[in-house]
């Protein structure tokens, strides 16, 4: 009768407060430079050591420049990165420093090093921690005070969310990616549609999805309000994790896989909510507004005000005014100024392979500024080993250094005010990519097609 979420949650309960939260044991805490300083200060103020430092991994990513990594010119960003390094040294925590082969975006590095494993509970002071749920784990973003709780006790106080299963059945059309699936679900469910739930993704489409695709889908769970986004581990998961740096080895690996195979929802498991979508209904997608749920198929038109309530009209008008789009307008063919490939959503090797498959033999549009930023140094090395860097270079693109980059305006890669960016990142909020910048979210294929044409382009037409 148990769901996958129930099984992992119940195995990690330390104590249950009557009419209150659950004390939940945490297997892995990830720390980055932005949300951890105050948590370490809390421990310092109370004279507490980190309880299980070997269960904690830290790395800078938000403030990391992507053009060079010798120096961070912004004094605030530089102080945050230096403070993380000092805190890790003081509390005995493994630190993957900027510019080293272990570094990258925390939500890319965790799975690729097999630091995130099936059955784990994983937390980080970052909303996109949901990414790690793709390996079959409960992974949640937490606040700074909660980071301090985990540092001090390796536990957290949490209320158990309700459960939801989202089934995707069928075969994806050519040119449709996991990013399009996520944008489609968000448009259907809205950005609040999964609030209060932990979501499990299931169905034949998910079972046939690559690990990189699953990571993209789980990454965007938070954008519809979900606490976590899980996918049951299977042979795809095991093949992805096997042999990676922190994966169990030899006999320990065989034993682990036997346990991981039990991590699935029971056939008679009951979810608080269940929805099903058809893969064939999903086309390449783009956003038109200022939240990830404000999206359309690339060949559709921006919504009109017809049939909307006054409050809905005002909300749509506010979004379109900021984006400088018109109701009923077709965005396909609209000029773009910036193209961004990267982020914890789409900064993996499969994303760069997809981008390269479109731009090969073509040239970057002169009107476009393009930032191609791997999610980790390992991804960057794979790009070079596979010769993808040469394809990109011949098409007029520059491969940059691992960083969160233009996903958020916390490092030098900021989109200027008024400019339109088409981006593989996860958020298109007002000013997210730079004060006054306008963002259209899309898949690596759509961004690649737009980068070579200079306008929003359906990759299927290339």
């Amino acid at each position: 009768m148990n769901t996958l979420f129930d099984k992992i949650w119940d195995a990690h309960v330390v104590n249950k407060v009557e009419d209150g939260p659950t004390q939940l044991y945490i297997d892995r805490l990830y720390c980055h430079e932005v949300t951890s300083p105050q948590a370490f200060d809390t421990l310092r103020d109370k004279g507490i050591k980190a309880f299980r430092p070997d269960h904690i991994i830290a790395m800078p990513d938000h403030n990391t420049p992507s053009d060079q990594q010798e120096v961070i010119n912004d004094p605030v960003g530089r102080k945050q990165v230096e403070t993380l390094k000092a805190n890790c040294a003081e509390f005995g925590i493994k630190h993957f420093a900027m510019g080293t082969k272990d570094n990258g975006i925390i939500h890319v590095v965790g799975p690729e090093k097999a630091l995130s494993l099936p059955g784990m509970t994983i937390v980080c002071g970052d909303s996109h921690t949901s990414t790690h749920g793709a390996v079959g784990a409960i992974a949640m973003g937490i606040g700074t005070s909660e980071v301090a709780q985990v540092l001090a006790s390796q536990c957290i106080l949490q209320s158990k969310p309700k459960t939801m299963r989202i089934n995707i059945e069928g075969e994806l059309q050519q040119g449709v990616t996991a990013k399009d699936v996520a944008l489609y679900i968000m448009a259907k469910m809205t950005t609040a549609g999964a609030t209060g739930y932990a979501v499990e993704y299931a169905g034949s489409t998910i079972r046939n999805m690559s690990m990189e695709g699953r990571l993209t889908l789980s990454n965007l769970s938070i954008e519809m309000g979900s606490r976590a986004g899980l996918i049951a581990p299977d042979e795809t998961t095991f093949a992805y994790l096997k042999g990676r740096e922190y994966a169990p080895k030899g006999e320990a690996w065989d034993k682990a896989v036997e346990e991981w195979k039990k991590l699935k929802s029971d056939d008679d498991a009951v979810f608080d909510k269940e929805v099903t979508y058809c893969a064939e209904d999903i086309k390449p997608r783009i956003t038109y507004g200022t939240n990830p749920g404000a999206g359309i198929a690339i060949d559709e038109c921006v919504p009109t005000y017809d049939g909307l309530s006054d409050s809905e009209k005002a909300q749509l008008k506010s979004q379109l005014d900021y984006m400088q789009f018109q109701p009923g307008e077709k965005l396909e063919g609209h000029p773009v100024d910036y193209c961004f490939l990267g982020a914890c959503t789409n900064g993996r090797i499969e994303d760069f392979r997809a981008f390269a498959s479109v731009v090969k033999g073509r040239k970057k549009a002169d009107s476009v500024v393009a930032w191609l930023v791997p999610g980790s140094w390992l991804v960057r090395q794979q790009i070079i080993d596979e010769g993808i860097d040469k394809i990109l270079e011949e098409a007029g693109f520059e491969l940059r250094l691992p960083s969160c980059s233009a996903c958020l305006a916390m490092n030098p890669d900021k989109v200027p005010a008024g400019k339109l960016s088409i981006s593989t990142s996860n958020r298109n909020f007002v000013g997210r990519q730079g004060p006054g910048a306008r963002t259209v979210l899309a898949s690596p294929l759509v961004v690649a097609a737009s980068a070579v044409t200079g306008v929003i382009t359906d990759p299927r037409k290339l």
Side-chain angles (χ1 to χ4, degrees), residues 40 45 63 67 121 124 175 244 250 280 282 288 317 332 345 382 388 424 440 445 452:
F40 283 108
D45 292 345
N63 289 286
D67 56 343
T121 48
C124 175
R244 292 185 183 264
E280 284 81 4
I282 306 173
Y288 60 82
K317 185 178 187 306
E332 193 179 356
T345 314
Q382 284 177 287
I388 293 170
T424 66
V440 168
L445 292 175
V452 294

Side-chain angles (χ1 to χ4, degrees), residues 30 55 91 106 117 122 128 141 216 257 271 318 364 375 407:
Y30 291 114
H55 289 239
F91 288 90
I106 210 159
L117 294 170
I122 300 168
H128 292 105
T216 294
V257 169
F271 291 79
S318 169
K364 181 182 80 66
C407 177

Side-chain angles (χ1 to χ4, degrees), residues 32-213:
H32 59 62
E33 76 273 29
V34 179
T35 56
S36 66
Q38 299 92 332
F40 283 108
D41 284 344
T42 300
L43 265 65
R44 205 174 280 115
D45 292 345
K46 296 182 182 299
I48 300 171
K49 293 179 179 178
F51 180 59
R52 290 201 168 149
D54 55 327
H55 289 239
I56 304 166
I57 301 288
M59 71 197 78
D61 54 13
H62 283 50
N63 289 286
T64 308
S66 73
D67 56 343
Q68 54 75 38
Q69 295 187 354
E70 301 302 315
V71 63
I72 297 174
N73 292 314
D74 174 55
V76 175
R78 185 169 65 247
K79 187 170 194 301
Q80 286 183 334
V81 170
E82 289 170 350
T83 300
L84 179 66
K85 182 180 178 180
N87 282 332
C88 288
E90 181 181 342
F91 288 90
I93 289 164
K94 192 182 288 288
H95 175 247
F96 296 157
M98 185 175 83
T100 64
K101 68 174 179 62
D102 295 316
N103 183 253
I105 304 172
I106 210 159
H107 305 313
V108 175
V109 172
E112 76 177 11
K113 284 187 172 293
L115 286 160
S116 302
L117 294 170
M120 277 187 166
T121 48
I122 300 168
V123 294
C124 175
D126 184 282
S127 53
H128 292 105
T129 307
S130 57
T131 310
H132 307 263
V135 302
I138 292 178
M140 303 178 289
I142 57 174
T144 298
S145 61
E146 294 169 311
V147 174
Q149 282 178 24
V150 182
L151 284 170
S153 68
Q154 209 58 37
C155 291
I156 193 173
L157 292 173
Q158 283 282 297
S159 297
K160 188 177 182 179
K162 293 180 287 185
T163 56
M164 180 191 298
R165 182 158 61 190
I166 298 178
N167 304 292
I168 316 285
E169 299 289 356
E171 194 171 334
L172 294 174
Q173 298 178 37
Q174 185 186 357
V176 177
T177 71
K179 181 65 166 287
D180 301 301
V181 174
L183 291 173
Y184 177 86
I185 294 170
M186 283 186 276
K188 289 288 184 186
M189 294 191 59
T190 78
T191 49
T195 301
Y197 291 90
V199 168
E200 180 183 341
Y201 299 100
S204 59
T205 312
I206 308 302
R207 289 194 295 274
N208 291 325
M209 199 175 272
S210 69
M211 203 61 221
E212 282 91 346

